[in-house]
Amino acid sequence: MGALTCVLLLAAGCTGGSGGGTPASASPDQGSAGTAAGTAAASAASASGIDVAAENAKAGDRSWQIDENALGAQDAIEGYTNLASVAPGQSFKLYVSTTASSFTATAYRIGYYGGADGTKVWGSAPTKGVHQTAQSFDSSTRTVECDWQPSMTVDTSGWVPGEYLIKLVSSAGNQRYVPLLVHSTSTAGKVVLVAGITTWQAYNTWGGYSLYQGANGGYSSRAYAVSFDRPYIDPDEPEGDGLFFPFDRALVSFAEQHDLPVAYETDLELETSPQLFDGARAIVSDGHDEYYSAAMRTTLTDARDQHGTNLAFLGANSIFRHIRWGSTQLGSDRLVICYKDYSIDPLASTNPSDTTQEWRYAPDPRPENALTGSLYQCNPVDAAYVVYDPKNWIFAGTGVTQGTSFSGLVGPEYDRVVDIGTTPHPIEVLSHSPLTCQGSGSYQESSYYTVASGAGVFDAGTMRWECALGSQCSAHFGSAARQFVRTATLNLLTAFAQGPAGRTHPAQDNTAADGVPNGEGLGID
């Protein structure tokens, strides 16, 4: 269901690291490119892969952090890019509005960097500030789009693939982020970390409209399509990072800390560039990856079935909403369309298979568990995670036994294995956590299944799994839960990096012993 509660319960303060980086040379003048001369060869070398150890040997830099007290009013400073994802060396336009006389922009790559979690890669000179307010509103879809002038063009030559935060600082001292991903041009042999930016945009309320609410705050006045042509703003992420902090940051830092062979993509590449995933050892979905088009889903299915690519869903509520992509004035695939109701979708009479309700519902039901293994159940919940299958290889070295529990690790949304026609087999239920959600009793379940290609698929089944990899969620659980998740995730991703996990770790059905209900819905025993 993916209500805002999931963000409310997950959001936590962010901590940074230490050190100082060296910015690439660039020109910040309006309309000019940040050239970073002489780095094109390095960019080409980095495009196909990342030397994680070498990258994280660079000096970290804590200055990527933003002081919440420095945010100021929403229009004090804010911005967006014309491209959500770029290839190394590809330029992008940065659109900035500020009430101050000038501003600077500084790009930081987020990784481990000795615990600093970021390093500085580029910085602009002071640039004239302009307060930009031009925007459009499409009343048919309640879509808000900015119509701003670009403040500068930035060349990413020499930028290593990864997730970046561009920190905007006005001359008045106000600060905000603009997120950007530099994507890998090859993922062969890699563990691909996928940023779920469609879900980030679904919750974006800039201009008063998201896929959850309209200007009056109500669901009935929600937008039916949301545009990337605007800054990010969320009640729980006012810094402008989208949903990077609660659902991506911990995974990025964790993977690079352990020198996993990572590559980086967004879910936009699942739509537009499925070939980029050829040869990937694993594709890893972040902590909240809810909104999928048919093409995005096909890319994952083909990777699993045709190439033996392992899949990991490190959250819950994945692949729940069916979307389509549309265009904006800045280009194609900049609009996320989701009516959430078959009856009001304009394609209802002409192409019912591509209408945008939940994937599990008519007119062409394709439940998400065909890929994830589990079904999304309910929100919100705050419950203990209870181990069911302690001998599974994913839990090796954690010291758990059947019934070991970790208070607060389940929430605020969760999944469960429900034995229906689309449930993959063989499938192992790894946890069986009793809970009550919206007045009904149910269970949270993590799962692991394998398919004929040899691919293994893991679903954590709780949104707090990803944030447990870092220092977030401390209000919900302690160090024991965090160590359990970190050990299990390292086991999982290390094995997934070796190739089709089902060849060495075939799943064995245990759902009968688990008492999984035969049916859909809340799964009440």
Side-chain angles (χ1 to χ4, degrees):
M1 192 160 65
L4 276 173
T5 312
C6 74
V7 182
L8 289 166
L9 294 178
L10 268 174
C14 301
T15 59
S18 61
T22 302
S25 60
S27 169
D29 299 333
Q30 182 156 332
S32 66
T35 57
T39 59
S43 175
S46 67
S48 61
I50 305 167
D51 185 336
V52 176
E55 179 63 24
N56 279 273
K58 296 177 182 178
D61 189 338
R62 289 181 181 272
S63 62
W64 63 267
Q65 297 177 92
I66 282 180
D67 182 349
E68 290 186 3
N69 295 324
L71 293 176
Q74 179 59 39
D75 65 348
I77 190 163
E78 55 187 345
Y80 61 96
T81 60
N82 69 317
L83 299 168
S85 174
V86 298
Q90 182 179 5
S91 296
F92 66 91
K93 293 180 180 179
L94 180 62
Y95 298 76
V96 178
S97 174
T98 179
T99 54
S101 60
S102 65
F103 72 93
T104 59
T106 308
Y108 297 87
R109 184 182 184 276
I110 304 302
Y112 179 60
Y113 300 107
D117 288 346
T119 192
K120 182 178 178 180
V121 299
W122 170 84
S124 77
T127 301
K128 181 181 178 180
V130 179
H131 188 214
Q132 307 202 59
T133 59
Q135 64 185 60
S136 64
F137 181 71
D138 184 340
S139 59
S140 66
T141 56
R142 302 172 189 146
T143 303
V144 177
E145 288 185 358
C146 294
D147 189 16
W148 297 359
Q149 296 301 307
S151 303
M152 63 182 71
T153 298
V154 182
D155 182 351
T156 66
S157 293
W159 295 24
V160 174
E163 297 203 44
Y164 287 75
L165 292 174
I166 301 168
K167 182 179 178 180
L168 306 176
V169 180
S170 78
S171 55
N174 299 115
Q175 306 174 5
R176 265 191 184 78
Y177 293 121
V178 178
L180 177 77
L181 190 134
V182 177
H183 70 79
S184 303
T185 58
S186 171
T187 64
K190 303 295 184 180
V191 174
V192 188
L193 307 186
V194 178
I197 62 173
T198 56
T199 301
W200 298 9
Q201 196 56 246
Y203 285 91
N204 184 5
T205 60
W206 196 96
Y209 289 85
S210 72
L211 292 182
Y212 291 87
Q213 66 181 61
N216 64 4
Y219 181 77
S220 63
S221 62
R222 70 191 182 278
Y224 300 141
V226 288
S227 173
F228 281 89
D229 297 3
R230 56 183 183 149
Y232 282 108
I233 181 64
D234 183 275
D236 300 292
E237 293 297 312
E239 298 92 345
D241 61 284
L243 296 177
F244 171 76
F245 282 121
F247 298 120
D248 286 71
R249 178 193 162 203
L251 172 61
V252 169
S253 179
F254 175 84
E256 297 202 354
Q257 177 186 5
H258 293 285
D259 199 21
L260 291 168
V262 293
Y264 287 92
E265 308 291 347
T266 70
D267 50 11
L268 173 61
E269 280 75 60
L270 291 172
E271 170 76 16
T272 63
S273 306
Q275 74 281 357
L276 288 180
F277 298 87
D278 290 350
R281 295 288 176 82
I283 299 173
V284 183
S285 162
D286 65 13
H288 195 183
D289 195 15
E290 181 178 355
Y291 287 80
Y292 267 70
S293 69
M296 292 162 63
R297 183 166 171 165
T298 296
T299 298
L300 288 188
T301 302
D302 288 350
R304 180 195 66 180
D305 295 345
Q306 298 179 17
H307 303 286
T309 302
N310 303 303
L311 306 179
F313 299 93
L314 299 187
N317 188 221
S318 299
I319 318 181
F320 184 64
R321 305 278 191 186
H322 188 170
I323 66 167
R324 298 191 301 273
W325 289 87
S327 300
T328 72
Q329 62 179 336
L330 292 184
S332 60
D333 304 307
R334 299 270 303 167
L335 192 71
V336 177
I337 302 166
C338 188
Y339 285 82
K340 299 187 179 181
D341 184 340
Y342 161 72
S343 67
I344 62 176
D345 192 313
L347 295 190
S349 60
T350 60
N351 188 10
S353 289
D354 209 20
T355 52
T356 54
Q357 63 292 320
E358 288 85 345
W359 275 103
R360 62 179 69 174
Y361 292 143
D364 186 7
R366 287 157 283 178
E368 68 272 17
N369 74 332
L371 258 177
T372 64
S374 304
L375 279 175
Y376 167 66
Q377 295 290 284
C378 188
N379 170 57
V381 70
D382 184 11
Y385 182 97
V386 181
V387 174
Y388 177 76
D389 187 3
K391 295 183 179 179
N392 184 276
W393 62 273
I394 297 172
F395 293 160
T398 63
V400 297
T401 59
Q402 189 173 62
T404 297
S405 66
F406 299 98
S407 178
L409 185 53
V410 174
E413 302 188 46
Y414 71 96
D415 297 342
R416 185 178 186 185
V417 176
V418 178
D419 206 359
I420 58 177
T422 51
T423 303
H425 288 280
I427 187 167
E428 296 184 36
V429 172
L430 307 181
S431 66
H432 189 60
S433 312
L435 52 84
T436 299
C437 187
Q438 297 187 19
S440 296
S442 184
Y443 292 88
Q444 175 276 344
E445 291 169 334
S446 299
S447 63
Y448 170 72
Y449 74 87
T450 52
V451 296
S453 69
V457 180
F458 171 78
D459 178 31
T462 169
M463 281 185 173
R464 291 189 186 140
W465 188 280
E466 189 275 342
C467 70
L469 295 174
S471 59
Q472 294 180 282
C473 297
S474 58
H476 299 284
F477 52 77
S479 59
R482 182 167 292 108
Q483 187 57 51
F484 164 73
V485 170
R486 288 176 66 88
T487 300
T489 303
L490 186 58
N491 290 339
L492 177 78
L493 297 186
T494 299
F496 274 17
Q498 303 306 308
R503 295 175 183 172
T504 52
H505 301 291
Q508 298 180 3
D509 270 313
N510 66 357
T511 54
D514 184 50
V516 175
N518 292 312
E520 197 188 330
L522 268 176
I524 302 169
D525 278 349

